[in-house]
Amino acid sequence: MSLSRLVFAPYESERDSEVHELFYEYPHKNFQLKFMGIAKEKMAEYLASTLARPDIQGIGLRDEGRMVGLVALQALPWMSEHFGLRMYAVPHLLARSDGPLVHARLLRYLIEERPDVDFLDCRVAVDDVHSAHALEICGFRYVGTEIYMGQLLEGLSPPKSHSEFEIGACTERERAQVLDIVTETHVHNRFVYDPFIPTSAANSLYRRLVAMCFEQEQFTVLVARSRNEVHGFIIAKLTPAFSSAVGMACGSLDFIGVRPKSRLRGLGIHLNRWALYHMALKGAQYVAVRTLASNYGAVSTCHRTDFRVTSSSLHFHRWIHRPTRGAAVSSHGQSPLGGMLTYAAAG
């Protein structure tokens, strides 16, 4: 393949039918699909369909008329407003190539040809070596490895009661305590690990993420309380669009936090089991969770509640225009986009 012949063009579904082949040929998530019991054909159709979403723009790369690569750009409006910068994710980076150069060409298009972009966020499968090398070539900074875990829900019984804590739905009065726990516990995330983001801005970001979950009906927020004090919380979510596409009712456990003084008493495990039971009551057949590999407490909690590792990804950030020192962070937010979900510390 001659790089000089490659031509970029906006993705058009009627013309670019080959994009389905790119998704189908991607070899790095096969075990995850096998574990879930989802046909790769269905997943390829779903991923291709995401390119029609209004917040995603696809850019195809062709060699003499044949599609050889695709990169997608997803707007992150509420995060952009939070940091005061124009922030985007790269949800898809695909190339027919035996090296990283085509992947790098796709990334450089976003960096060099899109003046409206200040920040790019990209995660790739840990064994997708060509994409990882391309990200390094293009100046992306590694900010952590994420572990993906999953569990098939079958015949769950109500969990046993905890000797110290009552588990129940979060009340409006308890929300402030939940947000305080977020600040205390959410110290393992890619924004904390990014040296260009102040710790205070990273902490306020996750407070906003959890606060927005209170107002959206697809989320279930459970708390562990004792003597009018909240000692921990967990947030679960159903994913109806994805479930419909793959023919399986799916959900996720998105956030968990336990006060440091209440750890090592099995509370994180207890919260997980109650959240899984609530998801099963709502018809979920499969529940996923992801967390940073360095968050050993959360990984242990998930393993002890029957989650199994299904895949892992490397996470990268690219600052095209870096934030200025002491930049203001807004306190207002819109509905969160998907893909921001990580576990906090659990005990």
Side-chain angles (χ1 to χ4, degrees):
M1 182 188 304
S2 172
L3 295 183
S4 63
R5 295 198 306 259
L6 299 179
V7 177
F8 289 97
Y11 167 76
E12 295 181 10
S13 58
E14 295 181 358
R15 179 193 64 196
D16 297 328
S17 58
E18 295 166 276
V19 73
H20 181 275
E21 296 176 20
L22 288 176
F23 284 114
Y24 187 80
E25 293 168 1
Y26 188 74
H28 303 294
K29 294 283 187 177
N30 290 341
F31 179 78
Q32 186 176 47
L33 295 178
K34 183 177 180 180
F35 183 88
M36 296 176 69
I38 294 176
K40 193 166 187 180
E41 179 71 24
K42 281 189 176 181
M43 181 60 76
E45 290 177 0
Y46 167 74
L47 293 172
S49 72
T50 64
L51 295 171
R53 286 171 39 178
D55 62 321
I56 293 181
Q57 178 187 353
I59 298 100
L61 188 61
R62 290 186 169 271
D63 179 17
E64 296 185 342
R66 178 173 180 259
M67 178 170 279
V68 295
L70 173 82
V71 67
L73 196 64
Q74 179 182 3
L76 302 174
W78 78 269
M79 193 187 302
S80 298
E81 182 265 337
H82 181 84
F83 289 110
L85 296 161
R86 297 164 296 186
M87 306 181 79
Y88 293 82
V90 182
H92 305 306
L93 176 62
L94 305 168
R96 290 188 172 109
S97 175
D98 56 0
L101 296 183
V102 176
H103 300 77
R105 187 75 175 266
L106 288 160
L107 291 168
R108 282 184 174 135
Y109 178 87
L110 299 181
I111 295 168
E112 298 169 3
E113 302 297 330
R114 291 295 302 261
D116 58 321
V117 175
D118 293 325
F119 167 90
L120 292 169
D121 164 42
C122 185
R123 63 169 63 92
V124 296
V126 73
D127 54 341
D128 187 355
V129 177
H130 297 330
S131 291
H133 285 175
L135 289 160
E136 292 175 333
I137 289 169
C138 294
F140 281 73
R141 179 184 294 270
Y142 168 77
V143 290
T145 299
E146 291 180 321
I147 296 177
Y148 292 70
M149 291 171 274
Q151 181 175 164
L152 293 165
L153 302 184
E154 295 179 345
L156 291 185
S157 301
K160 296 179 180 178
S161 300
H162 196 283
S163 60
E164 298 179 70
F165 306 105
E166 173 198 0
I167 307 297
C170 180
T171 66
E172 187 170 350
R173 182 177 56 84
E174 294 170 322
R175 292 179 180 181
Q177 293 188 66
V178 169
L179 295 179
D180 289 340
I181 295 174
V182 174
T183 302
E184 289 182 297
T185 62
H186 221 294
V187 296
H188 294 284
N189 63 71
R190 59 192 173 90
F191 290 101
V192 169
Y193 293 169
D194 189 321
F196 297 119
I197 297 179
T199 301
S200 59
N203 289 340
S204 62
L205 175 73
Y206 280 90
R207 284 179 64 95
R208 288 182 62 185
L209 277 168
V210 171
M212 287 185 282
C213 295
F214 294 142
E215 306 297 337
Q216 301 188 48
E217 61 183 22
Q218 71 265 36
F219 292 96
T220 297
V221 184
L222 300 177
V223 299
R225 59 175 73 93
S226 176
R227 298 179 181 178
N228 297 320
E229 182 181 6
V230 174
H231 292 259
F233 75 94
I234 192 166
I235 299 177
K237 179 186 68 176
L238 292 173
T239 53
F242 176 76
S243 300
S244 176
V246 300
M248 172 186 284
C250 297
S252 60
L253 303 186
D254 293 350
F255 296 96
I256 187 172
V258 174
R259 290 191 189 276
K261 69 178 183 180
S262 304
R263 292 179 187 167
L264 303 179
R265 290 144 78 178
L267 185 51
I269 294 170
H270 199 60
L271 283 164
N272 260 27
R273 287 176 176 158
W274 272 104
L276 291 170
Y277 178 65
H278 274 266
M279 295 291 279
L281 290 179
K282 292 185 176 183
Q285 299 167 277
Y286 179 84
V287 174
V289 65
R290 74 169 180 253
T291 188
L292 285 182
S294 58
N295 192 353
Y296 306 119
V299 172
S300 174
T301 296
C302 290
H303 276 295
R304 293 174 68 183
T305 50
D306 297 324
F307 280 94
R308 296 294 179 264
V309 175
T310 60
S311 66
S312 54
S313 294
L314 304 174
H315 216 129
F316 294 84
H317 288 175
R318 175 64 154 88
W319 291 98
I320 301 170
H321 302 105
R322 296 177 185 174
T324 58
R325 187 174 180 85
V329 177
S330 172
S331 60
H332 305 289
Q334 302 172 15
S335 298
L337 298 172
M340 283 295 301
L341 309 179
T342 57
Y343 252 33

